[in-house]
Amino acid sequence: MNFYSITFSPTGGTQRVADILSHTLAASVEAVDLTDRSRDFSSLSFSSSDVCLVSVPSYGGRVPQPAAQRLAQIQGGGARAILVCVYGNRAYEDTLVELQDLLTQAGFSCVAGVAAVAEHSILRKFAAGRPNQADEATLTAFGQEIGRRLEEGTLPQPLTLPGNRPYRPFGVIPMHPKAGKSCQGCGLCAQTCPVGAIPVDQPTQVDEKACISCMRCVSVCPRHSRSVNPLVLSAASLKLKKACTQPKACELFL
Ligand SMILES: Cc1cc2nc3c(=O)[nH]c(=O)nc-3n(C[C@H](O)[C@H](O)[C@H](O)COP(=O)(O)O)c2cc1C
């Protein structure tokens, strides 16, 4: 069995959850970075002896569009897929069922699902510090249970996951980070933007139509130059306070 961890993680929270699970599931892990816009995902194909952990953040209760487009290009070849959705303690709504549909369409066999919480990548005070030690213990136990069931061949077919079809309409309040005066134009944000929304020769600019508000540019900037308008942030924070405050637990679906 070859084990792959296929992840879309602009600011690292989804990656942390994926790493905890994958280290529990396999001694050797091949990583596939779905934020790499230079990669040709149509050349990626798997077979029925492979196991793929596929991890995405929830954006507005849905799979982020570039992740969906890139996953749709992969040839699943009957590989077993463990689906992981990571969210910022508000809700993940239809993310797991959308991911299941995308992967089934791409030829994967979906065998398990996990929903986990990580720090909210826009409003960082929500779910701050998560995944924490307790989450790590829970996710490790989930990984062990999935591993045991994979070996026994007792994972469910078809897999039932929470969420609605048709999915909720995609609706995320756009928040486009801007570069401040301390920007020295190093271009790291432009190089690592998952959708190429920042021109390499003019990194203080942003193509607002292309930007997916993922906050990669904010998280990689060595001078902390990029930020979202604080008024927009505090309005969003007030709006989401009630829904995001009560800590939510990680969930396993088998
Ligand atoms: C554009 C955008 C939309 C988001 N929508 C939701 C959401 O609907 N529900 C939620 O709980 N968290 C939401 N979040 C928070 C992320 O799902 C969460 O922070 C996740 O860990 C980010 O993954 P990353 O650290 O791998 O980038 C959103 C974050 C972004 C950037």
Side-chain angles (χ1 to χ4, degrees):
M1 164 192 112
N2 288 323
F3 187 91
Y4 299 84
S5 183
I6 304 172
T7 312
F8 187 84
S9 183
T11 71
T14 307
Q15 190 68 57
R16 283 186 62 205
V17 171
D19 288 349
I20 297 166
L21 286 165
S22 57
H23 291 141
T24 312
L25 280 156
S28 163
V29 179
E30 190 167 324
V32 176
D33 178 6
L34 288 172
T35 68
D36 181 355
R37 65 178 197 272
S38 67
R39 185 159 182 174
D40 172 16
F41 292 96
S42 65
S43 65
L44 203 54
S45 63
F46 299 101
S47 73
S48 56
S49 61
D50 295 328
V51 176
C52 299
L53 184 81
V54 184
S55 311
V56 297
S58 176
Y59 282 6
R62 299 280 305 272
V63 176
Q65 278 161 337
Q69 283 156 7
R70 291 166 194 177
L71 285 169
Q73 293 173 31
I74 298 175
Q75 291 148 59
R80 284 157 295 168
I82 300 155
L83 284 54
V84 182
C85 149
V86 179
Y87 67 111
N89 203 53
R90 185 190 68 76
Y92 59 88
E93 285 130 342
D94 305 332
T95 314
L96 277 177
V97 286
E98 184 181 7
L99 185 59
Q100 180 178 31
D101 293 346
L102 279 162
L103 292 176
T104 305
Q105 185 70 33
F108 289 88
S109 166
C110 299
V111 294
V114 171
V117 177
E119 197 159 299
H120 199 295
S121 50
I122 302 177
L123 305 162
R124 302 212 73 105
K125 69 176 181 185
F126 297 128
R130 295 190 72 185
N132 54 25
Q133 269 189 343
D135 294 320
E136 200 165 325
T138 305
L139 292 166
T140 300
F142 287 178
Q144 287 163 346
E145 173 69 2
I146 297 168
R148 191 177 61 75
R149 301 273 298 264
L150 268 174
E151 248 173 51
E152 288 172 359
T154 54
L155 284 161
Q157 277 296 338
L159 174 69
T160 306
L161 294 168
N164 295 304
R165 298 178 178 92
Y167 323 124
R168 73 203 309 265
F170 194 84
V172 165
I173 307 164
M175 294 196 196
H176 309 301
K178 300 263 170 11
K181 288 199 181 94
S182 60
C183 172
Q184 288 193 324
C186 73
L188 188 61
C189 53
Q191 283 159 34
T192 59
C193 172
V195 292
I198 303 170
V200 177
D201 50 352
Q202 263 186 312
T204 54
Q205 303 297 305
V206 61
D207 175 349
E208 296 199 350
K209 281 208 181 100
C211 172
I212 55 164
S213 309
C214 72
M215 307 294 137
R216 165 65 66 82
C217 56
V218 175
S219 74
V220 298
C221 178
R223 300 181 65 84
H224 309 290
S225 272
R226 290 191 90 91
S227 59
V228 173
N229 180 326
L231 286 176
V232 176
L233 270 188
S234 58
S237 176
L238 265 180
K239 193 170 168 221
L240 292 181
K241 191 174 173 201
K242 197 162 168 233
C244 288
T245 304
Q246 185 63 28
K248 292 172 183 121
C250 301
E251 297 167 277
L252 171 64
F253 304 99
L254 291 172

